[in-house]
Amino acid sequence: MAPTTLHLRHETKPLEHRSALTPTTAKALLDAGYTVNVEKSPARIFDDEEFASIGCSLVPTGSWREAPADHIIVGLKELPEEEFPLKHVHVSFAHCYKQQAGWETVLSRFPRGGGTLLDLEFLQDPKTGRRVAAFGYSAGFSGSALALKNWAWQQTHPASEPLPGVESYPNESALISDIKTDLEAARAKAGRLPRVIVIGALGRCGRGAVDMCLKAGIPDEQILKWDMAETAKGGPFKEIHESDIFVNCIYLSSKIPHFVNLESLKEPGRQLTVVCDVSADTTNPNNPVPIYTIATTFKEPTVPVEGLEGAPLSVISIDHLPSLLPRESSEAFSNDLLPYLLTLNNWQNDPVWAGAKQLFDEKVATLPKETLN
C-alpha cells in the first residue's frame, strides 16, 4: 500500500506565521512512514529548509489545489475566499460551524467537490469531550498582552491616536519585556497599573490571559478571575464596567446573557477602556460582547466603540492571536496534535477523526439546498 501523503499548505491570512506541522512533528510523521509535502512559504515561522533538511518534499506555494485527490491537505486558518469545489480531505480551522457570516459559502464547497472538512476546532476525545489540541493558552496569553499594551498606549498618547500595528515576537521573553516597558511608562504617567477582569479564567485560554498579566507585573489582587460560577447569575456585570481591561476568554457554544453591552457601558462611572475579545465571535449572533462588529488585525489591532461619552473604549478582536508568538504556539499545538496526525492513514476508523467527520456531515445537512448546486 502506498504511504499516506500529507500536504502542508501555505497560510494566506495576513500576518499568519504559524504552522500546523513543525519540523519536529513532520519528522515524526516521516519516521512513521508518511510522505510529507510542504508548500514553500515566505510567511511561515519555520524556514523551508528546516523541513527540507529532515526529508520533506518542498512543493510550490498554493499547489494543494492540484494535488491528487487522495492527498490530505493540512493547514491552520481558513482557505482563501474562492468558489471552486473542494475534492480533498482538509484538516484545518474553517470557522463555519457556528453560523458565522458566509458559513454556507465556505462549507458548501466541500460537498460540491466530494471533499471533507475535519475541523481542528472540533477534534474531541470521545471519552472526555475535551479538545485534543488547541491554541487556547497562547491566544489568551497574546490577547492579554495586547490588551495591556493598548491600555498603556492610552495612558501615554492622545485619545485620537489608536494603538499602531504590531508584529510577531521571536519568543515569549521578548513579548513580556516589551509589555513591561510599556506598563512602566504608563504607570509613570497614570500613577497606577490597570485592574483586569478575565472571564473564562479556569480554561486554557483564561489561564494564558492571567499568566500574562502576572508575568507583566500586574499584582494578583488587581486581576479578577471569573468563570462559570461568577457569570451564572447573568450579565451585564458592573465588575466589567469598573475594570480598566476586560479579557473575554470563554468558549461560546450557545446563547448566553450579555457580559457587557452598549446600554451597560453608558451607565455612569465607567472605568473600562480596553476590551480584548479573545473568543473573537465577531459575527456570531450569540456573542455576549455585542459592542463591535468587525474583526481587527495585527495591522490595525483596535476598533473604537462608538456612541459613548467619557474616556474612549477600544476593542481588540483579532482571530489569530497566537500568531503573536508563532514559533512557540505552533510547537505546542502541533505536539498536542501529533498522536492524532499519526492516525490519519486510517482516519475513518479513529474515533477522534470519525467524530469530526460525523459533525461535518451534520453541518452539511443544514446547508440550504441552493448552495449545493
Side-chain angles (χ1 to χ4, degrees), residues 26-93:
K27 178 65 163 56
L29 288 161
L30 290 169
D31 291 345
Y34 287 81
T35 296
V36 181
N37 295 338
V38 176
E39 291 188 8
K40 296 177 181 179
S41 174
R44 192 183 295 124
I45 189 64
F46 304 100
D47 293 337
D48 294 341
E49 185 52 38
E50 292 184 69
F51 287 100
S53 65
I54 59 168
C56 296
S57 299
L58 296 182
V59 296
T61 303
S63 58
W64 65 267
R65 296 170 177 82
E66 293 81 40
D70 63 345
H71 289 195
I72 297 175
I73 312 302
V74 180
L76 271 185
K77 298 303 287 185
E78 54 268 39
L79 295 168
E81 293 184 6
E82 298 168 318
E83 295 185 359
F84 65 87
L86 299 169
K87 63 184 179 181
H88 300 96
V89 171
H90 283 259
V91 176
S92 66
F93 293 93

Side-chain angles (χ1 to χ4, degrees), residues 192 195-197 224 237-245 268-272:
R192 64 184 182 88
R195 170 172 133 149
V196 182
I197 181 169
L224 278 67
F237 301 107
K238 65 180 180 60
E239 289 85 355
I240 295 176
H241 193 265
E242 295 168 351
S243 297
D244 297 290
I245 297 171
R270 173 174 58 86
Q271 186 74 21
L272 187 70

Side-chain angles (χ1 to χ4, degrees), residues 107-340:
L107 184 58
S108 64
R109 295 178 66 192
F110 293 93
R112 287 194 291 117
T116 298
L117 170 63
L118 302 176
D119 197 305
L120 289 169
E121 184 177 351
F122 300 94
L123 289 188
Q124 296 181 339
D125 183 326
K127 295 178 181 178
T128 65
R130 292 183 61 84
R131 293 173 67 181
V132 301
F135 281 102
Y137 184 89
S138 298
F141 195 91
S142 297
S144 189
L146 291 185
L148 293 170
K149 188 176 199 55
N150 189 28
W151 182 85
W153 177 269
Q154 290 173 339
Q155 311 314 305
T156 55
H157 293 80
S160 58
E161 292 184 27
L163 180 70
V166 295
E167 298 285 343
S168 61
Y169 288 80
N171 53 56
E172 180 182 306
S173 296
L175 174 60
I176 293 170
S177 176
D178 188 46
I179 301 305
K180 281 185 171 182
T181 299
D182 290 345
L183 287 174
E184 283 305 312
R187 177 155 57 179
K189 190 75 178 287
R192 64 184 182 88
L193 290 173
R195 170 172 133 149
V196 182
I197 181 169
V198 177
I199 296 187
L202 296 182
R204 281 182 284 200
C205 180
R207 290 199 303 271
V210 171
D211 285 354
M212 178 66 229
C213 288
L214 293 171
K215 290 182 178 183
I218 305 299
D220 187 66
E221 62 271 18
Q222 287 181 222
I223 307 169
L224 278 67
K225 310 174 191 74
W226 278 27
D227 209 86
M228 293 177 69
E230 291 79 7
T231 60
K233 62 183 180 182
F237 301 107
K238 65 180 180 60
E239 289 85 355
I240 295 176
H241 193 265
E242 295 168 351
S243 297
D244 297 290
I245 297 171
F246 166 38
V247 185
N248 180 35
C249 293
I250 71 159
Y251 181 78
L252 183 64
S253 58
S254 61
K255 187 175 180 60
I256 59 175
H258 294 161
F259 292 160
V260 64
N261 55 35
L262 289 174
E263 269 189 45
S264 69
L265 290 173
K266 290 177 180 177
E267 293 291 324
R270 173 174 58 86
Q271 186 74 21
L272 187 70
T273 61
V274 176
V275 172
C276 181
D277 191 3
V278 180
S279 302
D281 286 303
T282 309
T283 61
N284 190 319
N286 297 327
N287 184 6
V289 190
I291 60 174
Y292 69 100
T293 57
I294 65 169
T296 63
T297 65
F298 286 117
K299 185 178 179 181
E300 296 181 358
T302 66
V303 60
V305 177
E306 304 290 352
L308 299 179
E309 296 180 357
L313 169 62
S314 57
V315 176
I316 298 166
S317 57
I318 299 169
D319 66 2
H320 59 133
L321 282 165
S323 204
L324 197 66
L325 289 171
R327 182 174 288 269
E328 288 161 318
S329 62
S330 295
E331 289 282 12
F333 178 81
S334 196
N335 284 338
D336 287 347
L337 190 60
L338 180 60
Y340 308 95

